[in-house]
Amino acid sequence: MFRVHAGAVDYAILAVYFLVVLGIGFAARRYVRTGLDFFLSGRSMPAWITGLAFIAANLGALEILGLAANGAKYGIATVHFYWIGAVPAMVFLGIVMMPFYYNSKVRSVPEYLRLRFNDPTHVLNSLSFAVATVLIAGVNLFAMALVIRLLLGWPLALSIVLAAGIVLIYITLGGLSSAIYNEVLQFFVIMAGLVPLTLVGLKAVGGWSGLQDKISAAKGLGPLALHPWQGTGVGGVTNPIGANWISIVFGLGFVLSFGYWTTNFAEVQRALAAKNLSAARRTPLIGAFPKLLIPFVVVIPGLIAAVTVQGIGAKTGDLQFNNAIPILISKYLPTGMLGIAITGLLAAFMAGVAANVTAFNTVVSYDLWQAYVRKHEPDQYYVRFGRIATVVGVVIAIGTAFIAAGYNSMMDYIQALFSFFNAPLFATFIIAMFWRRATPWAGFWGLAAGTLAAVAVHFLHSRGPLDLGSPLSADFWGAVAAFVVDAVVTVGVSLATKPKPDNELSGLVWGLTKTEDVTAERDPAERVWWRRPAVLGAIALAITALLYLVFLF
């Protein structure tokens, strides 16, 4: 079995980090007095804190192991998950959608659907979201356990339980505040591990030009692995990613991306914890700037692994694509730096688990238990119940971690989950926010039909009757199917049923709220021109376009 050979200094660095993380949890506990404190940090966080937490919450297994694995498997085209597949949606969330979320005072994304549609739609989304969060938390637990196993040689099952226990302690103590402050710390620890790894790895292969030469000559990759758009023509796909530009732009860039970033409560929750609307709107926009640059410390190491690790890409065992980053850490980093890199990896996975578990405990406590089981209990009752829900969520995530263990590329699994849960939800949200005619039952049947459509596409492709290219390409088309079916059913049911009166939709639908007054609100921070949401968004989109241009020539 492959092992990371860490020394005493590396273990000391790791131990200090865990002590700090637990210390933050104990410190945050002192400030948890109400349910709002536990579940939404009292809506008191400044924008720079929530912005870094917003992006750190995404820096879990999906980001580090999953996209490094895709870099090794598919090449430079993996940058689509960051640029077209993240930044435009983050800008849309900050500028367009946060006023709806923040000003309606909802405590979760499903709660918006209850106000906009009806209780059945709310329950369906709450249950599906709870399932999605524990499945994704399981991915992060599996990845975290994988590193512990490589470090200590412990069995995978024991490593998963240990990883879950560490996260459980600090979330149970301090709630969302503990998670957010730890995520800010984790962001810097992650970068401290990945940046040196990328630089050392590039030096070992002769710099960027040397890496290009080796990728061009590599079996299974070749020259097209160095270009994100070449070889993606309809009817003539030759790019390693195995998807044409339509599925990339519409499936990933629109449906999956907007579905994840604008409706995934694990992310939106960080913005809802901001101290005012201005800070909430700037939260995803601040997060967009590190998101633009993260490919250089995640995708490039994946490419380096593809040309330096013999046998990488095995179906099972230690040479799966998922292990690209841990193998490179062991291969290139000396004692001390090895400890920082391992700590960075574990920090990333803890951030991913924490993001999903805090979202899980909020939805289960507020959207399910308080809304339909125990409606009128004292506030402290829901705080206690939230802590119990945290334990339950982590225990379930331990079980789902073993599902993730069956995939040799985490990204294929994650994108399938997003096509099931996020893609149809995005269709429902877009119609709900911009079409007042959408009726209560349209939300329910649209969500149900869209989810079933994505599951059907996945089943037909994986079983053989429907050939959609690579597993990743199939996930993109599954998302497209979910979005289209959801939209058609939602519109069809709306035209056949009665809508809510306009007075019940005030603040929930564009045109029925004083959106222009809300978005014109100026926090003192916005007196500086470059802190204004519209300016931040425009700069992020311009940099995205510039980065794509660099790889075109």
Side-chain angles (χ1 to χ4, degrees), residues 424 427-428 431 435 446 450 481-493:
T428 298
I431 294 172
W435 190 41
F483 182 88
V484 172
V485 170
D486 185 303
V488 169
V489 171
T490 300
V491 171
V493 174

Side-chain angles (χ1 to χ4, degrees), residues 92-342:
F92 184 81
L93 171 64
I95 293 177
V96 177
M97 294 186 72
M98 279 316 301
F100 287 99
Y101 286 137
Y102 201 88
N103 285 320
S104 63
K105 301 300 181 185
V106 295
R107 297 166 297 185
S108 68
V109 170
E111 189 172 12
Y112 172 85
L113 293 182
R114 180 177 63 81
L115 298 176
R116 177 61 183 85
F117 292 114
N118 57 13
D119 287 349
T121 305
H122 177 232
V123 172
L124 175 63
N125 181 233
S126 298
L127 289 172
S128 65
F129 178 79
V131 171
T133 53
V134 293
L135 287 170
I136 296 170
V139 176
N140 283 284
L141 276 181
F142 166 67
M144 190 172 173
L146 195 65
V147 174
I148 294 174
R149 188 189 69 166
L150 295 176
L151 177 64
L152 302 175
W154 292 357
L156 189 64
L158 178 61
S159 301
I160 288 173
V161 173
L162 175 66
I166 294 168
V167 178
L168 178 62
I169 292 171
Y170 77 77
I171 296 176
T172 304
L173 288 170
L176 184 62
S177 294
S178 178
I180 286 178
Y181 284 124
N182 269 305
E183 284 159 1
V184 173
L185 169 66
Q186 286 158 352
F187 174 81
F188 292 106
V189 173
I190 292 164
M191 291 300 106
L194 291 178
V195 171
L197 176 65
T198 304
L199 296 176
V200 172
L202 278 174
K203 183 178 179 181
V205 296
W208 177 244
S209 60
L211 179 60
Q212 287 178 301
D213 293 339
K214 289 178 172 60
I215 290 292
S216 296
K219 182 180 179 181
L221 289 176
L224 287 178
L226 295 168
H227 301 279
W229 291 111
Q230 289 184 22
T232 60
V234 178
V237 175
T238 55
N239 194 287
I241 202 169
N244 63 42
W245 68 268
I246 296 177
S247 65
I248 293 172
V249 172
F250 188 59
L252 172 63
F254 180 60
V255 179
L256 281 171
S257 171
F258 279 67
Y260 176 80
W261 291 102
T262 66
T263 67
N264 183 8
F265 183 51
E267 297 293 336
V268 174
Q269 188 179 28
R270 273 75 194 146
L272 289 177
K275 63 182 181 180
N276 54 34
L277 174 61
S278 176
R281 298 180 74 208
R282 282 183 281 128
T283 292
L285 300 174
I286 291 170
F289 289 94
K291 188 70 174 177
L292 285 165
L293 303 177
I294 289 172
F296 296 102
V297 294
V298 173
V299 179
I300 289 178
L303 292 170
I304 294 169
V307 299
T308 61
V309 180
Q310 188 173 2
I312 191 77
K315 295 292 184 182
T316 59
D318 294 330
L319 290 176
Q320 291 181 345
F321 284 120
N322 290 331
N323 289 340
I325 291 283
I327 291 172
L328 287 187
I329 287 173
S330 177
K331 185 180 179 71
Y332 290 119
L333 295 184
T335 297
M337 283 306 306
L338 182 63
I340 293 174
I342 292 171

